[in-house]
Amino acid sequence: MIEQPTGIEANYSLIVKDLPPNVQLVAVSKTYNAETVARIYNVGQRVFGENKVQELVEKYTALPKDIHWHLIGHLQTNKVKYIAEFIDTIQSVDSRKILKEIDKQAGKHNRKIKVLLQVKIAEEDTKYGLESSEAKEIFTEYLNDIYPNVEVQGLMGMATFTDNEKQVQNEFSSLKNLFDELAAQKPLTVLSMGMSNDYKLAIDCGATSVRIGSAIFGSRATEH
Ligand SMILES: *Cc1c(COP(=O)(O)O)cnc(C)c1O
């Protein structure tokens, strides 16, 4: 029998209790099994985030169908078809090419898929994401109805992994500025930034959605 982590419901309640009412929580369940995810579902959470398509499909299949699944990791074009039917939001749109494919697959299923444009705000060059200028161009195309089967709800970003709070704050603020600039053209509702170690700062900088994994579920055995 696989041992279940203790205290995750308590971790969850403490986090939820302190979130401002306008901030959405995406519980990041990557690497945790369906049984563990179900415990957080059972205490009321309905929005979960995964970063790998295969793992996402497995959990979608195993878990209740009223869960809103968010993809938060880099997506390859040949894999969009596996999630197009059920995915609620794809937060990790990091190229024009992937957005085109999401639009095409959403059309095949006669639905609109909600997306966020992932913008590179961190210093590290290992992280995926659009440059601000590309994000603006793609948003303009969207406003010109080039992607009729997607709904661009806002932006997503990941700050540099550092103890330097000032730097993280600057990175979040730069994303908030871009968000405001785009939202002036057409209202946007979702600014997804902040993870377990920096979500409070992200909220102070204007996040409307936070992606929290390890602060709920405990540290991951294998990082990926
Ligand atoms: C893993 C992951 C998270 C959650 O990270 P924690 O530090 O466990 O809260 C958030 N966003 C993305 C894109 C991730 O890959």
Side-chain angles (χ1 to χ4, degrees), residues 26-30 32 50-51 71-74 91-92 118 156-158 161 192 194-199 210-216 218-220 223-224:
V26 177
V28 176
S29 49
K30 65 187 185 193
Y32 303 100
E50 287 284 333
N51 70 340
L71 187 78
I72 60 170
H74 177 66
Q91 295 208 359
S92 42
Q118 182 178 351
M156 186 270 252
M158 284 169 90
F161 189 74
S192 171
M195 322 198 328
S196 291
N197 60 335
D198 58 15
Y199 75 91
V210 291
R211 310 176 307 272
I212 300 181
S214 50
I216 298 170
S219 60
R220 286 178 289 275
E223 197 54 59
H224 75 177

Side-chain angles (χ1 to χ4, degrees), residues 189-209:
T189 50
V190 184
L191 180 55
S192 171
M193 52 187 198
M195 322 198 328
S196 291
N197 60 335
D198 58 15
Y199 75 91
K200 288 182 182 158
L201 184 54
I203 292 169
D204 290 343
C205 294
T208 69
S209 184

Side-chain angles (χ1 to χ4, degrees), residues 39-58:
R39 287 171 54 188
I40 297 303
Y41 174 88
N42 286 335
V43 290
Q45 180 67 15
R46 290 295 178 270
V47 185
F48 290 90
E50 287 284 333
N51 70 340
K52 297 208 161 153
V53 167
Q54 193 185 333
E55 195 178 336
L56 168 62
V57 171
E58 283 169 16

Side-chain angles (χ1 to χ4, degrees), residues 18-202:
D18 275 351
L19 283 184
N22 62 315
V23 175
Q24 179 190 52
L25 169 64
V26 177
V28 176
S29 49
K30 65 187 185 193
T31 77
Y32 303 100
N33 61 27
E35 201 183 347
T36 306
V37 179
R39 287 171 54 188
I40 297 303
Y41 174 88
N42 286 335
V43 290
Q45 180 67 15
R46 290 295 178 270
V47 185
F48 290 90
E50 287 284 333
N51 70 340
K52 297 208 161 153
V53 167
Q54 193 185 333
E55 195 178 336
L56 168 62
V57 171
E58 283 169 16
K59 286 179 204 172
Y60 165 72
T61 307
L63 287 159
K65 294 297 171 283
D66 62 342
I67 290 178
H68 296 273
W69 291 102
H70 286 214
L71 187 78
I72 60 170
H74 177 66
L75 177 60
Q76 289 171 302
T77 38
N78 62 349
K79 294 195 175 162
V80 179
K81 58 177 178 284
Y82 301 120
I83 60 171
E85 194 180 351
F86 70 87
I87 195 77
D88 180 82
T89 302
I90 297 175
Q91 295 208 359
S92 42
V93 171
D94 57 9
S95 71
R96 190 178 264 114
K97 190 168 148 228
I98 198 70
L99 187 59
K100 277 188 182 152
E101 180 64 15
I102 294 166
D103 181 61
K104 182 175 139 193
Q105 294 294 336
K108 279 193 186 171
H109 292 280
N110 271 314
R111 62 188 296 250
K112 262 195 187 203
I113 295 178
K114 294 181 265 185
V115 303
L116 305 181
L117 303 180
Q118 182 178 351
V119 178
K120 188 169 144 42
I121 52 172
E123 251 178 16
E124 301 130 295
D125 43 40
T126 49
K127 289 195 175 141
Y128 290 106
L130 300 159
E131 298 295 333
S132 303
S133 55
E134 292 177 280
K136 286 184 206 174
E137 284 170 23
I138 292 174
F139 191 64
T140 301
E141 293 167 6
Y142 167 69
L143 294 179
N144 290 324
D145 287 329
I146 308 289
Y147 312 105
N149 307 305
V150 303
E151 182 189 339
V152 178
Q153 290 199 316
L155 303 178
M156 186 270 252
M158 284 169 90
T160 303
F161 189 74
T162 172
D163 289 338
N164 185 340
E165 199 166 296
K166 192 74 208 155
Q167 183 182 350
V168 173
Q169 189 177 15
N170 285 340
E171 292 173 357
F172 285 151
S173 298
S174 72
L175 192 62
K176 166 69 169 152
N177 288 339
L178 179 63
F179 179 85
D180 289 342
E181 194 182 325
L182 300 183
Q185 299 172 65
K186 181 182 173 136
L188 293 172
T189 50
V190 184
L191 180 55
S192 171
M193 52 187 198
M195 322 198 328
S196 291
N197 60 335
D198 58 15
Y199 75 91
K200 288 182 182 158
L201 184 54

